[in-house]
Amino acid sequence: MFWLVFYGFLAALGVFIAYMACLQFTKTQNLLADGIKTKAKVIHLEVFTGDNNPLYSPVFEYKDRRNQVLEYTSSIRSYPAPYKVGDVVSIVYDKQKPETMKVISFWDLYRGSVIPFMIAAPLLVIGFSYLAFRLI
C-alpha cells in the first residue's frame, strides 16, 4: 500500500509540474502572438561573483511604443557573457506592461516550460508505469 501511495504521489506531482509548464508555455505563446517586437541594445553587463568565475548579466535598453526608453536586466547570469556591450537583439514585450520583456531566443522564451517538463517527464513515466503495472 505504501508503494501505491508513493508512486501515486510521484505521478500526481508530475502532472502538476507538467500543468505548470503548460501554463508557462501558453503565457510565452501569448506574449509572442500579442506582444510588441522590437530591438534592444546591450548597454552594459552587470558582474556578479560566481564560485570560480565572474557571472555576467546583460542590461538591455529599448524603446516602447510611446518612445520611452526602458531598461531591462536579464535574470540569467552566465560565464562567459552571453552578449557584448553594443550588441543588438530582438525582443518582445507586453503591450500592457512594457517593462515585461523577453529576448527572442530559445532559452529566454522557453526555459520556463522546458525545464519543468524535463523534471515532470521522469516523474510521470515512473509514477504511471508503476501504477499501470500494479493496477492492470
Side-chain angles (χ1 to χ4, degrees):
M1 181 65 183
F2 167 77
W3 293 111
L4 192 62
V5 172
F6 175 73
Y7 286 105
F9 173 74
L10 287 182
L13 183 61
V15 167
F16 174 75
I17 293 172
Y19 174 74
M20 297 306 289
C22 284
L23 288 179
Q24 186 63 37
F25 179 79
T26 303
K27 185 177 169 185
T28 297
Q29 292 302 103
N30 290 338
L31 179 64
L32 285 172
D34 302 330
I36 308 289
K37 293 175 179 75
T38 188
K39 301 286 185 186
K41 186 176 183 179
V42 178
I43 55 172
H44 71 274
L45 298 169
E46 287 193 9
V47 182
F48 298 91
T49 305
D51 291 336
N52 298 322
N53 297 311
L55 299 175
Y56 300 97
S57 184
V59 178
F60 300 98
E61 182 179 81
Y62 62 101
K63 291 183 182 181
D64 66 3
R65 288 192 301 181
R66 289 177 254 145
N67 230 14
Q68 288 181 298
V69 176
L70 300 170
E71 280 188 15
Y72 170 77
T73 303
S74 176
S75 59
I76 298 176
R77 298 174 183 169
S78 64
Y79 177 82
Y83 304 102
K84 294 180 284 206
V85 173
D87 283 354
V88 177
V89 297
S90 297
I91 64 165
V92 60
Y93 66 88
D94 192 333
K95 290 178 191 176
Q96 278 73 38
K97 294 183 279 182
E99 65 278 357
T100 303
M101 63 82 74
K102 288 188 177 189
V103 175
I104 300 177
S105 70
F106 180 80
W107 280 113
D108 252 26
L109 293 172
Y110 297 111
R111 76 175 179 272
S113 54
V114 169
I115 293 171
F117 270 130
M118 291 169 60
I119 295 167
L123 295 174
L124 292 169
V125 170
I126 293 168
F128 281 118
S129 295
Y130 181 83
L131 293 176
F133 175 74
R134 292 298 268 167
L135 298 176
I136 293 180

